[in-house]
Amino acid sequence: MSTLKAMSAAEIVVLHGPNLNLLGTREPHVYGTTTLADIDARIAEAARAVGFAVRSVQANALGEMVDAVH
């Protein structure tokens, strides 16, 4: 509960999991050319439109994702 109090009421944390940092560069013929930065920009734009801020975190290890939440 204390973690939620420290976070802004209008902030959303988006956690991107393993290998998503490779979007747009790894096998673009299979996965397309949209990068994770492109996706983050779209998420941030949509969030701003409804009054939220977004913090995006990409991690390849579960421990890093847990640290981002804490």
Side-chain angles (χ1 to χ4, degrees), residues 5-53:
K5 288 180 183 178
M7 225 171 50
S8 168
E11 181 181 47
I12 297 169
V13 178
V14 177
L15 296 176
H16 299 293
N19 297 321
L20 290 181
N21 57 312
L22 300 175
L23 284 175
T25 60
R26 182 178 179 196
E27 298 183 69
H29 62 284
V30 175
Y31 301 108
T33 57
T34 302
T35 66
L36 187 56
D38 296 333
I39 292 168
D40 282 340
R42 290 180 189 173
I43 292 169
E45 181 181 332
R48 272 192 306 275
V50 293
F52 287 88

